[in-house]
């Protein structure tokens, strides 16, 4: 969907304008390289296990790479509310019509989801003389598509779930949410699912993962991308991976990771003067810096994942100590690799 000028103020209010600036130049992902990294992801610690130690994508990386807010309310809600609405004679689809101006044709609906094509067909054009209320309707559709396509895509990538209706109904309040922590929670959850041997494809914000790899692992970085701006993921705007011999490239990526040493990883890439010169000042406020190093839960609806920065202290300029178990092991959310999440504590038992 094209971005119209009259929608930009709504994106700025929602703290999503930096993310939107990446859309027209969003990078392609190197699937063999990402596959090799997924193989080194440990669901028990939410870190990549490398020959030189552990490393991870943190809230700091999300803030720098995507320019998303990491402080605010959790992106969550009770999905049964929609069923209650249907049972109480105020169908969810009436609410949908209030927010988007019309009802959907039956062929665009499947249970509680809407096909992407309906949004593209309905909201592609925005006449210059349209009313402000119509602009708000287009802004709702644009923000929904932006969130679902760039941050929270799942394997059913061509449909939008109606759980977003409460957020779009109060569009002026979208800026109070921690979009960055929600995106990281979803990436963690998708990486954890990806370690299951029965999973073929990995969903989630994979552009964030790839940009993090290129910024941190300079030996894996493509050549010729020396100019960048904020958000930092824009550095790889014109990157195109090769598409030949995919299986062989997975093997090659595995070998590259096997040979990595401590000097091949940039523990603090954001301290460089050229980065400091372009980063948005909101990223550097002290309360955000404290959140970067906070071991806490990240929430995105049913995905609740632990931000285990105590295992990657060198990424913040510190000396790595023995990580402490921050959660009660009786209810620790771990994955056993057998298809789905399990609640168990045997991993931590001596």
């Amino acid at each position: 969907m094209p971005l119209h000028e009259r929608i930009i103020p709504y994106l700025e209010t929602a703290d999503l304008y930096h993310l939107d600036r990446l859309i027209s130049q969003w990078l392609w992902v190197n699937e063999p390289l990402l596959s090799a990294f997924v193989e080194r992801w440990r669901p028990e610690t939410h870190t990549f296990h490398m020959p030189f130690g552990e490393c991870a994508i943190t809230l700091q990386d999300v803030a720098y790479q995507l320019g998303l807010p990491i402080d605010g309310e959790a992106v969550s809600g009770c999905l049964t509310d929609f069923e209650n609405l249907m049972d109480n004679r105020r169908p969810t689809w009436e609410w949908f019509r209030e927010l988007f101006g019309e009802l959907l044709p039956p062929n665009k609906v499947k249970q509680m989801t809407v096909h992407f094509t309906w949004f593209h067909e309905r909201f592609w054009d925005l006449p210059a003389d349209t009313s402000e209320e119509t602009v708000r309707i287009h802004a709702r559709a644009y923000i929904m598509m932006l969130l679902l396509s760039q941050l929270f895509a799942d394997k059913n990538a061509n449909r939008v779930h109606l759980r977003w209706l409460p957020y779009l109904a109060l569009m002026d309040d979208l800026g109070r949410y921690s979009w960055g922590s929600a995106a990281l929670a979803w990436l963690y959850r998708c990486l954890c699912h990806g370690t299951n041997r029965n999973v073929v494809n990995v969903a989630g914000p994979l552009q964030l993962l790839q940009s993090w790899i290129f910024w941190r692992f300079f030996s894996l970085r493509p050549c010729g991308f020396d100019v960048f701006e904020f958000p930092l993921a824009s550095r790889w705007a014109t990157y195109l991976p090769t598409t030949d011999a995919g299986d062989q490239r997975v093997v090659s990526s595995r070998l590259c990771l096997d040979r990595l040493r401590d000097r091949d990883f940039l523990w603090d890439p954001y301290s460089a003067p050229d980065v400091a010169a372009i980063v948005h000042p909101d990223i550097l406020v002290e309360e955000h810096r404290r959140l970067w190093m906070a071991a806490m839960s990240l929430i995105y609806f049913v995905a609740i994942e632990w931000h285990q920065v105590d295992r990657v202290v060198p990424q913040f300029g510190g000396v790595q100590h023995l990580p402490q178990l921050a959660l009660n092991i009786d209810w620790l959310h771990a994955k056993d690799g057998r298809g789905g999440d399990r609640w168990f504590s045997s991993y931590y038992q001596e």
Side-chain angles (χ1 to χ4, degrees):
M1 293 173 60
L3 174 62
H4 301 277
E5 283 190 12
R6 295 180 66 181
I7 293 178
I8 292 178
Y10 293 98
L11 292 174
E12 293 175 333
T13 300
D15 277 340
L16 294 171
Y17 185 53
H18 290 306
L19 177 67
D20 180 81
R21 291 175 58 224
L22 295 170
I23 293 233
S24 61
Q25 49 188 5
W26 205 244
L27 67 154
W28 294 87
V29 296
N30 185 330
E31 294 182 2
L33 177 63
L34 299 191
S35 295
F37 269 83
V38 171
E39 292 173 354
R40 287 186 170 271
W41 178 258
R42 295 303 304 169
E44 300 86 354
T45 60
H46 288 161
T47 57
F48 294 103
H49 283 215
M50 297 295 177
F52 56 82
E54 295 179 70
C55 57
I57 305 175
T58 68
L59 289 174
Q60 179 194 39
D61 296 300
V62 178
Y64 275 97
Q65 298 293 337
L66 301 184
L68 290 173
I70 61 172
D71 190 11
E73 297 183 21
V75 178
S76 185
C78 182
L79 304 188
T80 57
D81 289 346
F82 299 106
E83 298 176 3
N84 293 337
L85 283 171
M86 295 179 70
D87 293 339
N88 294 337
R89 297 184 180 181
R90 184 178 183 265
T92 302
W93 298 109
E94 286 188 10
W95 196 8
F96 185 94
R97 179 169 55 183
E98 292 174 10
L99 296 178
F100 293 103
E102 64 183 72
L103 285 175
L104 290 144
N107 65 329
K108 299 296 183 181
V109 178
K110 183 178 180 180
Q111 294 179 339
M112 303 303 291
T113 64
V114 181
H115 203 284
F116 270 19
T117 56
W118 183 84
F119 288 94
H120 284 290
E121 294 166 359
R122 172 67 176 80
F123 299 105
W124 189 266
D125 294 320
L126 180 62
D129 58 348
T130 192
S131 67
E132 191 60 33
E133 179 55 34
T134 302
V135 174
R136 286 181 65 87
I137 292 175
H138 278 253
R140 291 188 188 106
Y142 190 91
I143 290 173
M144 178 181 280
M145 295 294 288
L146 176 66
L147 292 173
L148 270 293
S149 63
Q150 303 303 322
L151 293 182
F152 306 117
D154 55 24
K155 293 184 179 180
N156 189 19
N158 61 349
R159 293 190 172 274
V160 178
H161 198 283
L162 296 187
R163 62 171 170 255
W164 292 100
L165 292 187
Y167 291 86
L168 298 172
L170 301 173
M171 201 160 50
D172 294 336
D173 295 335
L174 288 177
R176 75 187 193 209
Y177 294 102
S178 178
W179 299 113
S181 63
L184 189 57
W186 184 235
L187 178 59
Y188 281 2
R189 177 59 62 92
C190 292
L191 289 173
C192 291
H193 283 317
T195 61
N196 189 318
R197 61 181 175 269
N198 298 318
V199 173
V200 177
N201 298 315
V202 178
L206 298 182
Q207 296 90 348
L208 167 61
L209 172 59
Q210 179 164 276
S211 185
W212 176 82
I213 292 171
F214 288 164
W215 272 92
R216 295 278 186 177
F217 297 85
F218 61 87
S219 63
L220 303 176
R221 181 184 303 169
C223 299
F225 295 87
D226 300 323
V227 179
F228 54 87
E229 57 184 14
F230 187 80
L232 299 185
S234 64
R235 181 174 184 174
W236 324 108
T238 58
Y239 170 72
L240 284 173
T242 58
T243 58
D244 58 322
D247 292 340
Q248 184 59 39
R249 287 191 296 129
V250 173
V251 175
S252 177
S253 297
R254 290 170 180 162
L255 290 175
C256 289
L257 299 190
D258 289 341
R259 295 168 181 167
L260 288 174
R261 297 295 179 264
D262 181 80
R263 63 179 179 272
D264 298 318
F265 183 77
L266 294 179
W267 293 98
D268 189 11
Y270 309 129
S271 62
D274 51 352
V275 174
I278 64 166
V279 68
H280 195 280
D282 288 348
I283 302 298
L284 303 176
V285 297
E286 185 58 32
E287 52 264 35
H288 290 169
R289 291 174 178 269
R290 289 195 293 267
L291 285 175
W292 296 345
M293 300 188 64
M296 59 183 178
S297 59
L298 306 172
I299 300 173
Y300 169 63
F301 288 101
V302 298
I304 303 176
E305 304 291 340
W306 198 246
H307 188 235
Q308 295 189 250
V309 291
D310 58 328
R311 306 190 71 94
V312 292
V313 176
Q315 290 184 203
F316 302 94
V319 177
Q320 184 62 54
H321 55 277
L322 183 64
Q324 299 295 319
L325 184 61
L327 292 176
N328 184 336
I329 61 175
D330 290 331
W331 58 274
L332 182 65
H333 191 186
K335 289 86 177 173
D336 63 1
R338 293 182 295 178
D341 297 344
R342 305 283 194 269
W343 294 82
F344 72 114
S345 60
S346 59
Y347 178 82
Y348 292 96
Q349 293 175 355
E350 297 294 340

